[in-house]
Amino acid sequence: MGAWISRTRVPTPEPDPQEVLDLSRLPPELLLLVLSHVPPRTLLMHCRRVCRAWRALVDGQALWLLLLARDHSAAGRALLTLARRCLPPAHEDTPCPLGQFCALRPLGRNLISNPCGQEGLRKWMVRHGGDGWVVEKNRKPVPGAPSQTCFVTSFSWCRKKQVVDLVEKGLWPELLDSGGVEIAVSDWWGARHDSGCKYRLFVTLLDAHQNVIDKFSAVPDPIEQWNNDVYLQVTHVFSGIRRGIRFVSFEHWGQDTQFWAGHYGARVTNSSVIIRVCQS
């Protein structure tokens, strides 16, 4: 009988992971393309710290413009055109503002924090009247609201305000001053069926020193008692806005018309401030 022949396979040594994943060997153009598929927050928090070369790419304009160029919608193309037009000159010591912009994504989303009271009165500057502000569940659903809760007022004027820092939200000054964006504001207010109420809205656009540049106010007629738990919406769009806007102050008031102790006044919810690119 023939002898058995051993055919033991010699294991192939595993390559060093650092050699396999050494992206620094890529030409800058390919490295830029690879990094453009990384989430913006990861680019800023981690990739930027790898080495000087990566930091230069993350701080530069080309990477972020490549990210924006992937959105082929009409809004995406309009944003890319606007961003190219109003980017500040590149400086080695100053990161491109598009990085923070892409990470925070301030366009097209509500910049008001806690718009429905889902976090109590957090983020709002409050002045209590009567028995003060409370948060309750909506008596009727409000379309598009992130939470079916609302702020409820009392028998004397209750006021609350939130000031949105637009630069802190990721919008750079040259973009705000470009004339290419508009500011849409909205608020929902209503009453409980057994009590009428009054409501006011005041929105002001402020410069860096809190000076008023533009303003809008709404003082609608009161809602009468026995109203079927009605909700109404107030909207306004600031277009053709002047240069220098850095803050949006959003303030609303409410009270009941029966002067009852407790919380029978105006119910406000789903407040919003949305920045969007003007569609020409």
Side-chain angles (χ1 to χ4, degrees):
M1 297 181 63
W4 291 96
I5 300 175
S6 175
R7 297 188 177 183
T8 304
R9 179 176 295 177
V10 178
T12 303
E14 292 290 333
D16 187 341
Q18 291 186 352
E19 293 181 0
V20 174
L21 301 175
D22 188 3
L23 299 180
S24 63
R25 297 182 180 181
L26 292 175
E29 298 79 9
L30 287 180
L31 178 57
L32 194 70
L33 184 61
V34 171
L35 291 179
S36 70
H37 290 276
V38 178
R41 290 182 183 272
T42 302
L43 288 170
L44 295 174
M45 297 296 294
H46 301 289
C47 297
R48 189 173 180 271
R49 302 177 181 179
V50 170
C51 62
R52 291 183 179 179
W54 283 38
R55 177 174 178 172
L57 289 177
V58 174
D59 286 353
Q61 297 180 358
L63 174 61
W64 303 106
L65 290 172
L66 189 57
L67 263 75
L68 293 182
R70 290 218 174 89
D71 185 350
H72 298 293
S73 67
R77 293 194 300 271
L79 173 58
L80 180 61
T81 300
L82 180 61
R84 284 174 170 160
R85 176 162 60 87
C86 62
L87 274 177
H91 295 288
E92 290 186 5
D93 299 330
T94 305
C96 175
L98 275 177
Q100 193 79 347
F101 174 85
C102 290
L104 297 178
R105 302 177 66 183
L107 290 186
R109 69 175 180 88
N110 189 6
L111 301 182
I112 290 283
S113 300
N114 187 26
C116 304
Q118 62 269 46
E119 302 175 59
L121 294 172
R122 181 175 173 270
K123 294 293 185 177
W124 291 93
M125 294 177 279
V126 174
R127 292 188 65 177
H128 295 287
D131 289 324
W133 290 91
V134 294
V135 175
E136 296 181 0
K137 291 184 178 179
N138 289 337
R139 290 171 172 259
K140 277 188 174 179
V142 172
S147 173
Q148 291 301 327
T149 51
C150 61
F151 301 95
V152 186
T153 60
S154 189
F155 59 85
S156 184
W157 282 115
C158 298
R159 303 161 53 179
K160 65 184 179 70
K161 178 171 73 172
Q162 191 168 143
V163 178
V164 179
D165 185 334
L166 299 176
V167 175
E168 186 180 81
K169 294 292 186 181
L171 297 152
W172 67 97
E174 290 83 358
L175 177 64
L176 293 170
D177 294 343
S178 67
V181 296
E182 60 187 17
I183 302 175
V185 298
S186 170
D187 204 20
W188 287 82
W189 71 288
R192 48 183 290 160
H193 179 61
D194 56 0
S195 177
C197 69
K198 296 188 287 186
Y199 162 89
R200 296 177 180 177
L201 173 66
F202 304 94
V203 182
T204 52
L205 307 185
L206 309 172
D207 67 13
H209 303 289
Q210 304 284 317
N211 298 312
V212 176
I213 292 181
D214 202 352
K215 60 185 176 180
F216 165 77
S217 62
V219 185
D221 292 336
I223 295 176
E224 301 295 334
Q225 192 179 24
W226 315 123
N227 51 66
N228 199 29
D229 295 321
V230 66
Y231 264 116
L232 303 173
Q233 186 182 19
V234 178
T235 63
H236 180 72
V237 177
F238 293 95
S239 57
I241 56 179
R242 292 163 52 192
R243 294 172 60 89
I245 291 172
R246 300 295 179 265
F247 300 92
V248 178
S249 173
F250 188 102
E251 180 176 357
H252 44 204
W253 301 19
Q255 71 171 105
D256 73 29
T257 56
Q258 311 305 123
F259 302 101
W260 290 342
H263 301 93
Y264 294 85
R267 309 164 73 83
V268 295
T269 190
N270 203 20
S271 311
S272 67
V273 171
I274 297 175
I275 315 297
R276 58 197 187 198
V277 175
C278 299
Q279 299 293 320
S280 56

